[in-house]
Amino acid sequence: KKAVSFVVPALNEEHNIVGTVEQIRIAAAPLDEYEIVLVNDGSTDKTGAVMEALAAEDKHIRVVHNGKNLGFGGAYKAGMTMARMPYVIMIPGDNNHPAGGIEPILEHIGEADIIIPYVANSHVRQFKRRIISSAFRRLLNLLFGLRIKYYNGLVLHRRDLLSTITIETNSFAYQAEALVKLSRRGASNLAIPVLVSDRGDHATRAFRIKNVLAVMETVWRLMWNSDRP
């Protein structure tokens, strides 16, 4: 059964959250069942109110309000605890991912435990972002003996497997932590190319000093973590 929980973290995205939901609806149309869990991560604008308005007119939508900003990973975890479908995927609330970039991921449901999309049109992203992302991927693959093509993005997980690990970080490295831990336990993965449209907002947030330090801390902890099969 192709049933998916879309977890949508959003921080001050009052102008983008409606567009994000519209793209998810289009992509989710062929599914047997779906839900959209909107996570208002301590926004100071009207993001929360817009989310509630969307939920009031669509039974597929539920809203989680974080009392304070937990970070991208923290928001994802808050939404994940509310997920009820067999599969879960994160879609940022910034409306950077058109339906055409989400649909290919959903088409491969059931072909592996984890569906890992990687950016096929990386030229649309900032050069700095491409270099850092490539270096991060190479470092993690080297440290953990993996061959994963991308450690961020719209990764689709089997929810039952995801619930067997603890994602400790609240930072942008939450997906990398999940992928490393699940791969250590023998979870299979399938990499597929997708297209993105990019405004660079989340790249700017990810490269803030506190976020970079949090990512480094996560990698260090994973190196010494005994979470193996």
Side-chain angles (χ1 to χ4, degrees):
K1 185 177 181 180
K2 292 189 174 183
V4 177
S5 294
F6 295 86
V7 174
V8 185
L11 172 63
N12 296 332
E13 299 286 5
E14 62 176 303
H15 300 299
N16 295 312
I17 196 65
V18 172
T20 300
V21 169
E22 289 175 352
Q23 295 304 308
I24 293 174
R25 285 172 175 153
I26 295 171
L31 297 174
D32 298 317
E33 192 176 357
Y34 75 93
E35 66 175 355
I36 303 173
V37 182
L38 301 177
V39 184
N40 172 26
D41 193 28
S43 298
T44 55
D45 63 0
K46 297 179 181 178
T47 296
V50 175
M51 287 179 171
E52 290 293 348
L54 287 167
E57 34 182 68
D58 188 341
K59 65 179 182 180
H60 293 100
I61 298 175
R62 291 184 294 145
V63 181
V64 177
H65 296 281
N66 291 338
K68 63 178 181 179
N69 177 242
L70 299 181
F72 204 58
Y76 172 75
K77 291 189 291 183
M80 190 181 70
T81 60
M82 301 292 290
R84 298 178 293 194
M85 302 295 166
Y87 295 91
V88 60
I89 184 173
M90 185 282 301
I91 308 291
D94 58 4
N95 199 23
N96 266 355
H97 297 272
I102 303 172
E103 290 164 343
I105 305 169
L106 305 179
E107 290 171 0
H108 292 277
I109 288 176
E111 295 181 23
D113 296 324
I114 310 168
I115 308 300
I116 305 176
Y118 63 92
V119 180
N121 59 332
S122 60
H123 61 277
V124 305
R125 292 191 159 171
Q126 299 172 352
F127 178 74
K128 174 183 176 182
R129 182 174 185 178
R130 299 202 307 267
I131 292 299
I132 293 178
S133 178
S134 176
F136 184 60
R137 173 180 58 83
R138 292 172 182 272
L139 174 63
L140 290 183
N141 282 343
L142 177 64
L143 289 175
F144 304 110
L146 302 173
R147 300 180 67 181
I148 291 175
K149 297 198 70 165
Y150 197 54
Y151 279 93
N152 298 298
L154 317 186
V155 180
L156 184 140
H157 293 274
R158 276 177 46 191
R159 187 169 60 86
D160 61 338
L161 288 182
L162 200 55
S163 65
T164 66
I165 64 170
T166 299
I167 301 175
E168 299 178 50
T169 185
N170 285 336
S171 73
F172 283 85
Y174 80 94
Q175 194 65 257
E177 180 177 354
L179 289 174
V180 169
K181 287 184 174 181
L182 289 172
S183 296
R184 283 173 168 176
R185 295 187 173 202
S188 62
N189 71 76
L190 174 67
I192 61 166
V194 296
L195 301 176
V196 300
S197 60
D198 194 66
R199 291 182 290 107
D201 295 355
H202 282 296
T204 302
R205 295 177 190 173
F207 297 151
R208 292 173 182 170
I209 293 298
K210 68 174 184 177
N211 292 329
V212 172
L213 292 175
V215 170
M216 293 172 61
E217 187 273 336
T218 299
V219 173
W220 178 259
R221 180 164 30 80
L222 284 170
M223 289 174 61
W224 300 103
N225 196 303
S226 61
D227 186 12
R228 285 180 166 78

